Amino acid sequence: MRKLVHDPGRRRVVPNPAVERGATLNSYDLMPSLPYVARAMFTAITLLSIGGCVSITEDAYTDLAPATLAVAERTRPEGSILMRIFKEESELEVWRQGADGRYALHKTHPMCRWSGRLGPKTADGDRQAPEGFYQVTASLMNPNSKYHRSFNLGYPNQLERALGYTGDSLMVHGACSSAGCFAMTDNGVAEVYAEAQSAFRIGQSDFQVQSFPFRMTAEQMAKHQGDPNIEFWRNLKLGYDVFEVTRREPTVAACGGRYVFDARRVDGAAALEPTAACPAMNTRVDPRVSAKRHDDERVVQKLLVEGRAEMAMAYVDGGMHPKFRSLLARLGAEELARETSITAVQISRPDAALVDPYQAGQ
């Protein structure tokens, strides 16, 4: 495996490189948005590193009042980045902003390993990889990770903390081992890490990471309609739709135990309380986004009525991109560990990786 060169300009932020912690967790960026809603439940705050990737073994939609007040967009320098993660597909996308403020897809990276099942992380030690909206600052970057390079997603974010999700040190990192993180291989994370460092150098203060259970198409929403997390996923889809249609970064806040997007309080107050009832808000919704949501809902209902929704995927433990699953089957776990990690970090639960994903009921 080609040895990766350490860039001495990268900032060391972790006092103990043997421990995968992301220094201080910045407050989640409170910014606006809301057109459709769903519910999510959580409870109490603790920060214990055991919940992170330290071990290598290891209608629901409701329209709001139309916008009457323009919401100021974030000022980002040209070349800023945004990332999207899709668990079922085991992919991480890097997007780059152009001169017009819109993002274009830069590269899609295959993910070697994630753990747990589809659905949010709620408790320390549950092996779940997080789902939600996160802001990553330079202080959360770790060039000295035990998994080559890493950055901390900042889980739990403000909403998750207020609603009681516990755990910490949830990373995007190298190797092919996960106990709640997203493992990209050493070469893969080096490339993603370099993109983030370049963005910080041009003045981007933080970058948004949108972590989804799957690509939130109408077909996928229909397929997963019976999942107990469906209301939470409908809430995530509101932010997904904003970016999917406009290619602009949604501003994110929280109230009523859910995310809200591109919205501002009518009373002019700056902040929303994540667990308090949502106040009256002015919400900016691009007509194309609203049209997409209604179209998607019609497709979902049509598929369900006609019985044409595919069976949802089930998981023994997380997932692995087909590229790496094929290599695992051909090379075996020990050789794949050498291929994906400079220090040959072992593959987490390789037997489970070979059978996942499978059709529920099989």
Side-chain angles (χ1 to χ4, degrees), residues 4-71:
L4 297 165
V5 178
H6 172 62
D7 178 358
R10 291 176 181 160
R11 186 184 310 177
R12 178 188 173 103
V13 297
V14 179
N16 180 1
V19 178
E20 208 50 20
R21 299 182 67 89
T24 54
L25 299 182
N26 292 21
S27 291
Y28 189 58
D29 213 18
L30 275 186
M31 290 206 155
S33 167
L34 210 174
Y36 291 55
V37 292
R39 293 176 290 279
M41 293 281 159
F42 314 93
T43 349
I45 238 181
T46 57
L47 292 173
L48 300 172
S49 63
I50 190 173
C53 290
V54 245
S55 170
I56 61 172
T57 54
E58 298 284 54
D59 175 302
Y61 292 142
T62 304
D63 278 315
L64 298 188
T68 57
L69 177 69
V71 178

Side-chain angles (χ1 to χ4, degrees), residues 38-249:
R39 293 176 290 279
M41 293 281 159
F42 314 93
T43 349
I45 238 181
T46 57
L47 292 173
L48 300 172
S49 63
I50 190 173
C53 290
V54 245
S55 170
I56 61 172
T57 54
E58 298 284 54
D59 175 302
Y61 292 142
T62 304
D63 278 315
L64 298 188
T68 57
L69 177 69
V71 178
E73 293 188 12
R74 303 195 68 164
T75 301
R76 298 286 201 192
E78 183 180 350
S80 291
I81 64 167
L82 177 148
M83 296 184 193
R84 297 200 300 180
I85 293 171
F86 299 100
K87 288 162 74 172
E88 185 172 305
E89 293 82 359
S90 295
E91 291 180 337
L92 181 150
E93 295 177 342
V94 177
W95 293 72
R96 188 174 289 161
Q97 189 184 59
D100 62 354
R102 291 163 56 88
Y103 286 82
L105 181 61
H106 175 63
K107 186 169 182 177
T108 300
H109 297 266
M111 191 182 302
C112 197
R113 201 76 175 96
W114 58 272
S115 63
R117 297 175 177 269
L118 298 185
K121 180 174 184 63
T122 61
D124 187 43
D126 64 5
R127 291 185 58 82
Q128 285 293 104
E131 295 172 8
F133 292 80
Y134 305 92
Q135 303 296 142
V136 178
T137 62
S139 67
L140 297 179
M141 307 293 289
N142 181 10
N144 300 299
S145 169
K146 64 185 291 185
Y147 300 106
H148 189 58
R149 302 279 185 271
S150 70
F151 57 85
N152 191 326
L153 289 171
Y155 171 95
N157 63 27
Q158 188 177 32
L159 172 61
E160 292 160 338
R161 289 197 303 271
L163 293 169
Y165 282 19
T166 60
D168 73 347
S169 302
L170 279 303
M171 309 281 174
V172 172
H173 62 55
C176 192
S177 179
S178 173
C181 296
F182 299 107
M184 305 296 300
T185 78
D186 285 7
N187 282 339
V189 79
E191 194 171 335
V192 172
Y193 193 99
E195 291 287 347
Q197 290 295 81
S198 295
F200 290 134
R201 281 195 288 268
I202 65 170
Q204 185 173 3
S205 59
D206 58 84
F207 62 90
Q208 186 173 93
V209 178
Q210 305 172 1
S211 182
F212 299 109
F214 43 77
R215 295 187 183 277
M216 307 195 91
T217 63
E219 291 75 17
Q220 283 280 56
M221 296 301 288
K223 183 171 79 171
H224 293 280
Q225 197 72 197
D227 193 284
N229 293 300
I230 190 63
E231 288 293 310
F232 171 65
W233 291 341
R234 285 173 176 151
N235 184 214
L236 293 186
K237 186 176 183 295
L238 304 181
Y240 174 91
D241 288 341
V242 172
F243 185 78
E244 190 70 10
V245 172
T246 69
R247 295 294 189 251
R248 296 183 184 276
E249 177 182 350

